[in-house]
Amino acid sequence: MEFVISAFSDEASASLSGQIEALKRNRLAGMEIRAIDGENISAISRQKAGQIRAALDEQGLSVWSVGSPIGKISVLDPFEPHVELFRRTLENGALLGAENIRIFSFYIPKEGALTAFRNEVLDRLARLLELASPYGFTLCHENEKGIYGQSAECCLEIAQALPDIRLVYDPANFIQAGQDALAAWRLVKGHVKYLHIKDARPDGKVVPAGA
């Protein structure tokens, strides 16, 4: 099996030049772009997105995915302002030449039952799919503690209800949500577009992969 490895290069440097240097030093050709100069990609100007694309093209680098914060709000928060942020994310992702956009499935109130918010979550995700369709992006849902899709079971539910949404498998996030990472993989692997190389101890502390 062949794997293509990209990176959240903002974890190496805040600046674009520092991120490019880190990618080339580690012989990586692509990034999951998240922030440049402390500014999230969903919020940068079209001009800056174009400048980033030009700098990456010059170095033979590409954007695999936009590591967006879309879906990282409460399911109770107004959705329309978030939709406007998503529109800008789509525009910037297109300028950057990305194939994928990472999304989440909204934080659920701690006292709330998941079933009470299922329809609202799926309706919101369906709206995001509709908006992304003209751009040709694949929307990739990442599991994370506290959101609707924190468990493998709920991730599978999302993927089955909305087949055009693929999954990002994050083993450390499953561990932090109290799940066995291998069991989670076996449940969702048929719907996974890409995965994170990330590890955590049983207490939830993130550690280097394999530790």
Side-chain angles (χ1 to χ4, degrees), residues 13 28 41 59-60 66 72-73 78 88 99 105-106 111 117 119-120 137 163 166 174 181 184 192 208:
S13 174
L28 300 175
I41 293 304
Q59 295 297 325
V66 175
K72 271 196 166 186
I73 60 171
R88 192 163 177 179
E99 297 179 31
S105 54
F106 310 99
E111 67 277 8
F117 298 101
N119 289 342
E120 178 66 20
F137 292 118
R166 303 299 302 280
F174 276 128
V192 170

Side-chain angles (χ1 to χ4, degrees), residues 145-162:
K145 183 179 180 181
I147 65 172
Y148 184 85
Q150 73 168 357
S151 70
E153 291 78 10
C154 285
C155 288
L156 181 62
E157 183 181 77
I158 289 169
Q160 289 176 336
L162 300 166

Side-chain angles (χ1 to χ4, degrees), residues 49 58 68 75 80-81 89 91-92 105 108 110 113 115-116 118 130 134-135 147 162 164 170 194 198-200 206 208:
E58 184 178 346
S68 86
V75 71
E80 287 310 310
T89 303
E91 292 172 0
N92 286 338
S105 54
I108 303 300
K110 289 183 178 179
T115 52
R118 180 183 185 276
E130 180 183 356
Y135 292 87
I147 65 172
L162 300 166
D164 288 335
D170 189 311
Y194 65 99
K198 190 176 169 186
D199 206 353
V206 175

